[in-house]
């Protein structure tokens, strides 16, 4: 671990100059492969950027349990119910690793959670869409976890040690999630016409929101440039979205589903798929709280927090008693 403080010239006394110098110094070290650890001195802007992204990521994991959790009691077989239970439980675990990693930056989990419940913190837009039929569970695994992996693999190399390490384990689990989703859909696509129609209907509803998970176009991304300079983001939103499309189109062909974009076409010159226009008005509407399920998702989380108060109190009383206080 690198323990040297990021102190700057003590003779420099303009605070702005000192902080700019510290930021440049850290950016340079990061570009040389330096990994920042919690005890390192770090510029406030780096810390704030990490808290923003990591807490949004943690919130996405715990809110992300809701759309699929909705199907646990209705899973069609014991095998699918066990898989779904394990997956939803994994998402809770991801939330916990990420809240813990964020706490290493000097912010409490309670404060972060309060921000989520009060609607001050964002979480991924994708979880504000409803799960209407059983095939939605498969499509979430295939497309939503697939998009999440694409976005998260570069984060295993990010400059903040606790975030990078959390991502290694999370990516392994997401990979299982993606495969179980594909497997579920593949099974349905061997079934009746009604099952095939359910899969196509789910794909039609989730394709565009899945592409929105990567965030706004690079030209509208507020944080990308700064986050890249800090070594937090390794690839831009558009780069990751394009890679996701390129790997997913052949998978859709294998499954036998049609992706709902008539402009999706291999471009020999670019060696990438061209695709149609994303509805960015819809994206911003959902991000700013007016998606189909925003109110419901936060309502469920608030209710669980209030109804779980006695569990937190009992756990605290037990912990105090064990410590003899
Ligand atoms: N939804 O400047 P930009 C999962 C916000 S969960 C909502 O490009 P940045 C799973 C953005 O926060 C996986 N908001 O931002 C769980 C910013 O607003 P603020 C979740 C979005 O940070 C259960 C503004 O728009 N993954 O795997 O450079 C079941 C401007 O954007 C979204 C992560 O969280 C969005 N889609 O890039 C199944 C990965 N996109 O903060 C699966 C970690 C953008 O100024 N996060 N915004 O108020 C990231 O990689 C980046 O934060 C993003 C956005 C690519 C998402």
């Amino acid at each position: 671990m690198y323990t040297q403080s990021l102190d700057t010239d003590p003779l420099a006394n303009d605070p702005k100059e000192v902080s700019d110098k510290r930021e440049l110094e850290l950016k340079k070290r990061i570009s040389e492969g330096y990994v920042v650890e919690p005890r390192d001195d770090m510029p406030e802007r780096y810390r704030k950027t990490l808290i923003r992204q990591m807490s949004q990521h943690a919130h996405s994991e715990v809110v992300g349990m809701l759309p699929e959790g909705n199907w646990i009691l209705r899973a069609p077989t014991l095998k699918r119910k066990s898989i779904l239970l394990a997956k939803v439980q994994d998402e809770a675990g991801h939330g916990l690793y990420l809240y813990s990693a964020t706490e290493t930056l000097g912010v409490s989990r309670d404060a972060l959670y309060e921000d989520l419940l009060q609607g001050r913190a964002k979480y991924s837009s994708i979880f504000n869409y409803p799960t209407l039929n059983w095939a939605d569970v498969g499509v979430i695994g295939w497309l939503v976890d697939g998009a999440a992996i694409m976005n998260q693999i570069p984060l295993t190399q990010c400059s903040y040690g606790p975030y990078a390490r959390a991502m290694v384990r999370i990516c392994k689990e997401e990979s299982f999630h993606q495969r179980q989703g594909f497997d579920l859909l593949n099974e349905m696509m061997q079934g009746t016409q009604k099952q095939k129609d359910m899969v196509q209907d789910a794909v039609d509803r989730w394709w565009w929101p899945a592409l929105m998970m990567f965030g706004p176009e690079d030209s509208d991304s507020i944080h990308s440039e700064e986050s890249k300079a800090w070594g937090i983001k390794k690839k831009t939103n558009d780069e990751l979205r394009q890679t996701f499309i390129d790997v997913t189109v052949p998978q859709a062909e294998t499954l036998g589903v049609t992706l709902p974009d008539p402009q999706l076409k291999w471009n020999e010159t670019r060696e990438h798929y061209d695709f149609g226009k994303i509805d960015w008005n819809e994206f911003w509407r959902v991000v700013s709280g007016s998606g189909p399920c925003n109110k419901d998702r936060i309502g469920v989380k608030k209710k669980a927090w209030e109804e779980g108060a006695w569990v937190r109190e009992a756990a605290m009383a037990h912990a105090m008693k064990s410590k003899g206080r």
Side-chain angles (χ1 to χ4, degrees):
M1 185 175 90
Y2 190 100
T3 51
Q4 188 184 325
S5 147
L6 293 163
D7 282 346
T8 46
D9 180 1
L11 296 177
N13 49 16
D14 174 356
K16 167 96 174 65
E17 205 175 297
V18 172
S19 88
D20 287 354
K21 203 169 160 194
R22 290 176 76 217
E23 288 185 7
L24 283 175
E25 198 184 331
L26 180 61
K27 284 176 184 169
K28 183 167 172 292
R29 283 186 191 162
I30 286 172
S31 70
E32 290 161 0
Y34 169 55
V35 176
V36 182
E37 293 295 342
R39 286 186 190 173
D40 289 343
D41 186 16
M42 61 184 91
E44 195 52 18
R45 282 200 335 164
Y46 177 72
R47 201 179 72 87
K48 285 217 166 112
T49 298
L50 280 171
I51 292 175
R52 182 188 62 79
Q53 178 166 326
M54 290 167 68
S55 61
Q56 284 178 9
H57 196 160
H59 300 325
S60 304
E61 299 284 355
V62 297
V63 176
M65 295 166 71
L66 299 175
E68 289 174 284
N70 191 25
W71 281 89
I72 291 173
L73 294 177
R74 291 178 286 164
T77 63
L78 183 59
K79 178 182 138 188
R80 290 291 168 200
K81 193 193 284 275
S82 326
I83 294 172
L84 184 56
L85 264 174
K87 179 183 190 292
V88 172
Q89 212 169 329
D90 283 352
E91 310 298 358
H94 299 174
L96 295 184
Y97 315 147
L98 287 164
Y99 283 126
S100 299
T102 316
E103 282 185 303
T104 64
L105 292 157
V107 55
S108 79
R109 188 179 306 206
D110 280 356
L112 297 173
Y113 209 67
E114 182 66 13
D115 283 346
L116 172 70
L117 297 184
Q118 295 311 322
R120 290 189 293 266
K122 290 193 171 72
Y123 57 88
S124 183
S125 49
I126 192 80
F127 302 117
N128 292 308
Y129 292 86
T131 39
L132 303 180
N133 82 48
W134 170 249
D136 288 33
V137 170
V139 169
I140 290 181
W142 174 43
L143 295 180
V144 175
D145 287 273
I149 299 169
M150 195 58 73
N151 168 280
Q152 287 169 188
I153 285 174
L155 291 172
T156 62
Q157 307 292 318
C158 84
S159 60
Y160 189 55
Y163 193 24
R165 289 189 288 275
M167 278 301 129
V168 172
R169 178 158 175 183
I170 291 177
C171 282
K172 285 186 183 157
E173 292 175 352
E174 300 288 27
S175 164
F176 152 75
H177 297 169
Q178 198 264 356
R179 283 176 210 186
Q180 67 79 36
F182 189 87
D183 179 68
L184 188 163
L185 297 175
N186 204 23
E187 203 168 309
M188 286 183 81
M189 289 304 285
Q190 318 294 320
T192 63
Q193 188 56 44
K194 201 166 175 198
Q195 286 174 308
K196 291 178 189 169
D197 293 346
M198 281 164 76
V199 174
Q200 186 60 56
D201 170 58
V203 170
D204 289 346
R205 284 180 288 107
W206 289 91
W207 173 248
W208 292 104
L211 298 188
M212 294 175 195
M213 283 176 75
F214 295 94
E217 287 177 300
D218 291 350
S219 52
D220 290 327
S221 169
I222 314 158
H223 304 291
S224 280
E225 203 183 324
E226 181 76 10
S227 290
K228 276 191 94 177
W230 290 125
I232 299 168
K233 268 175 128 165
K234 298 280 177 182
K235 302 240 166 126
T236 69
N237 301 354
D238 286 338
E239 284 167 346
L240 290 169
R241 188 170 11 249
Q242 182 70 64
T243 313
F244 173 72
I245 292 170
D246 291 348
V247 303
T248 307
V249 173
Q251 294 173 6
E253 282 162 9
T254 305
L255 271 179
V257 294
T258 307
L259 295 172
D261 178 359
Q263 292 179 51
L264 203 55
K265 193 166 177 289
W266 180 252
N267 182 321
E268 287 292 347
T269 320
R270 291 200 313 124
E271 297 198 333
H272 287 296
Y273 281 92
D274 289 336
F275 55 97
K277 199 165 163 28
I278 294 173
D279 183 349
W280 292 112
N281 289 334
E282 174 180 327
F283 170 77
W284 290 115
R285 219 172 29 247
V286 175
V287 168
S288 59
S290 303
C293 299
N294 297 57
K295 286 194 180 64
D296 184 55
R297 299 292 183 233
I298 292 300
V300 170
K301 283 286 160 200
K302 274 189 176 158
K303 187 164 177 276
W305 179 254
E306 284 155 16
E307 291 179 355
W310 70 272
V311 179
R312 293 191 298 279
E313 281 161 24
M316 189 57 83
H318 179 72
M320 298 300 252
K321 201 171 162 208
S322 314
K323 282 188 179 166
R325 287 188 200 157

